[in-house]
Amino acid sequence: MIDFRLDDEYEALRKTVEEFARSEVAPVIGDLYEREEFPYEIVAKMAEMGLFGLPFPEEYGGMGGDYFALCLTLEELARVDSSVAITVEAGVSLGAMPIYRFGTEEQKQKWLPELCAGTALGAFGLTEPGGGSDAGATRTRAKLDGDTWVINGSKSFITNSGTDITKLVTVTAVTDVKENGRKEISAIIVPSGTPGFAVAPKYSKVGWNCSDTHELSFDDVRVPAENLVGERGRGYAQFLSILDEGRVAIAALSVGLAQGCVDECLRYVKEREAFGHKIGEYQAIQFKIADMEVRTHTARLAYYAAASKMLRGEPFKKEASIAKLVASNAAMDNSREATQIFGGYGFMNEFPVSRFYRDAKILEIGEGTSEVQRMLIARHLGVA
């Protein structure tokens, strides 16, 4: 029989992160969010807990866990705040994972210990100002000059790229153009502080206000040839595989936000009175919360299913897209309904549901828009 219960190790991790989020994140994140400050103290505490090293082997400073452990962590963090959750998600799946999956042993030994320890953050530069969902439209160029890559171009919406502890950004760049016009795209590590590598001021965003996001520019940036990650010309394909894993992680984060909306509403409707009754006694409110729980439960099953196939080494691209689509929709719908249940208070920034509402929309955009997910699902069904 299929058993969806978490084993003792997973459940212990989930409870630990849940308690951390409630006791360490919840009391301070509201003020940090409104000041749009990166949560360095929270990141340091998560680093001490080993959260940034969860899915990596101990030989590189990791915790020896797996990707599902990371997903459980993201869900519990996002029940309280998504900025904190996305900092971990991006640091692990976008910053460290490409080096672990495709890097040389020398690169792993050089970069992973700090990234796993959480004392350093990595970022991945894929999206460009004119690219968006068309990641293959990369314009950033990298030319090999002897034993040095010379990089020119720009990247946009790059998470964890400008913090005080950011150590590197792995960027995709066109390293050749074939006779048929096809671009050869490769991935190259650019350490922070490299001459010519500039980080623009942080974006003013609708949500994820405690998450670090910048536009990057590269003006004759020179890095050693050995900073190539994986096989030359395989950078785009490599990152697509990283995105498949990342979509499961974003689905887990989305489930956390959706569950957080349920949590907040359950507390509120037992306290708020209208027309002489607790508003939880009204069927209209009960139905809203029931629908919110249904969405959350369904989305959790979707990401559990995708994660299980991934951990078994089976193809999971379709399941990852389904999980990401279902979960991001659930997060958006639940945050809208939670704001409605809170009424005027839901429009006030002092209440978590207003933060959830602001944070939810990006989940339908980042790491593949909902439209891209539908396209991928249809393709796997053989529609076209």
Side-chain angles (χ1 to χ4, degrees):
M1 294 179 63
I2 297 175
D3 188 351
F4 291 102
R5 293 174 297 178
L6 299 177
D7 65 24
D8 292 342
E9 188 173 350
Y10 285 137
E11 180 60 19
L13 172 65
R14 189 202 66 76
K15 286 184 176 179
T16 298
V17 179
E18 178 186 24
E19 175 58 27
F20 170 80
R22 296 295 176 196
S23 62
E24 300 291 340
V25 180
V28 300
I29 198 62
D31 289 341
L32 291 171
Y33 193 91
E34 290 309 307
R35 295 199 302 267
E36 300 185 4
E37 292 184 14
F38 187 77
Y40 285 104
E41 291 187 9
I42 293 174
V43 169
K45 291 176 181 179
M46 294 191 296
E48 292 176 0
M49 295 170 65
L51 301 188
F52 288 93
L54 275 173
F56 301 109
E58 295 179 6
E59 63 183 292
Y60 300 120
M63 299 295 288
D66 56 33
Y67 210 88
F68 185 60
L70 172 65
C71 290
L72 290 175
T73 295
L74 296 175
E75 180 181 345
E76 291 303 323
L77 290 174
R79 284 178 70 178
V80 171
D81 182 71
S82 293
S83 295
V84 172
I86 196 60
T87 299
V88 175
E89 194 277 336
V92 174
S93 72
L94 301 180
M97 194 60 73
I99 296 174
Y100 173 63
R101 294 283 189 225
F102 308 110
T104 63
E105 185 61 28
E106 182 180 358
Q107 290 170 342
K108 294 175 185 178
Q109 294 291 346
K110 180 178 181 179
W111 298 109
L112 286 182
E114 279 190 285
L115 297 178
C116 290
T119 54
L121 292 176
F124 201 103
L126 174 71
T127 305
E128 299 194 356
S133 294
D134 185 8
T138 300
R139 294 183 179 179
T140 297
R141 302 278 174 155
K143 182 179 180 180
L144 198 56
D145 180 17
D147 60 355
T148 302
W149 289 107
V150 182
I151 305 171
N152 286 278
S154 61
K155 300 291 179 178
S156 57
F157 314 130
I158 309 305
T159 304
N160 290 350
S161 58
T163 74
D164 294 344
I165 58 174
T166 299
K167 294 294 183 180
L168 65 93
V169 178
T170 303
V171 302
T172 52
V174 177
T175 49
D176 194 12
V177 179
K178 305 301 182 182
E179 292 183 1
N180 61 4
R182 184 178 180 183
K183 297 177 180 178
E184 174 190 272
I185 299 177
S186 306
I188 303 169
I189 295 174
V190 180
S192 298
T194 302
F197 172 27
V199 180
K202 64 182 181 181
Y203 289 102
S204 176
K205 297 176 294 187
V206 171
W208 281 3
N209 284 355
C210 289
S211 170
D212 179 77
T213 319
H214 298 266
E215 184 169 350
L216 312 177
S217 63
F218 307 88
D219 184 10
D220 285 338
V221 173
R222 304 179 72 89
V223 299
E226 60 261 28
N227 281 23
L228 178 73
V229 178
E231 183 181 343
R232 176 171 174 168
R234 294 286 297 168
Y236 183 52
Q238 290 168 185
F239 192 68
L240 288 180
S241 68
I242 292 295
L243 275 181
D244 289 336
E245 296 180 350
R247 284 166 183 154
V248 182
I250 291 296
L253 191 157
S254 300
V255 168
L257 189 154
Q259 186 66 64
C261 290
V262 176
D263 296 342
E264 293 298 325
C265 286
L266 287 175
R267 282 192 286 269
Y268 184 71
V269 301
K270 295 174 183 177
E271 300 171 355
R272 178 77 161 93
E273 291 189 2
F275 305 105
H277 296 274
K278 297 289 193 296
I279 64 172
E281 297 177 25
Y282 296 111
Q283 195 174 67
I285 299 296
Q286 295 171 6
F287 282 9
K288 282 183 181 292
I289 295 178
D291 286 342
M292 291 165 65
E293 178 67 11
V294 168
R295 294 187 198 101
T296 305
H297 179 77
T298 303
R300 183 177 292 110
L301 293 179
Y303 99 71
Y304 275 26
S308 67
K309 293 197 73 172
M310 176 173 60
L311 294 184
R312 291 197 301 268
E314 300 174 4
F316 67 97
K317 184 183 291 286
K318 181 186 72 173
E319 288 75 14
S321 289
I322 291 172
K324 204 269 185 181
L325 179 62
V326 169
S328 60
N329 285 345
M332 191 69 227
D333 290 343
N334 277 18
S335 65
R336 184 179 60 250
E337 292 287 34
T339 302
Q340 190 72 17
I341 288 172
F342 271 67
Y345 291 111
F347 204 63
M348 301 296 111
N349 287 329
E350 63 186 281
F351 288 88
V353 294
S354 70
R355 190 169 71 245
F356 294 162
Y357 189 50
R358 293 162 68 179
D359 290 340
K361 184 57 191 175
I362 188 59
L363 298 172
E364 297 182 314
I365 299 172
E367 296 206 33
T369 65
S370 296
E371 291 75 17
V372 167
Q373 305 314 315
R374 291 184 174 95
M375 179 183 69
L376 294 172
I377 295 166
R379 183 179 298 166
H380 277 82
L381 294 174
V383 174

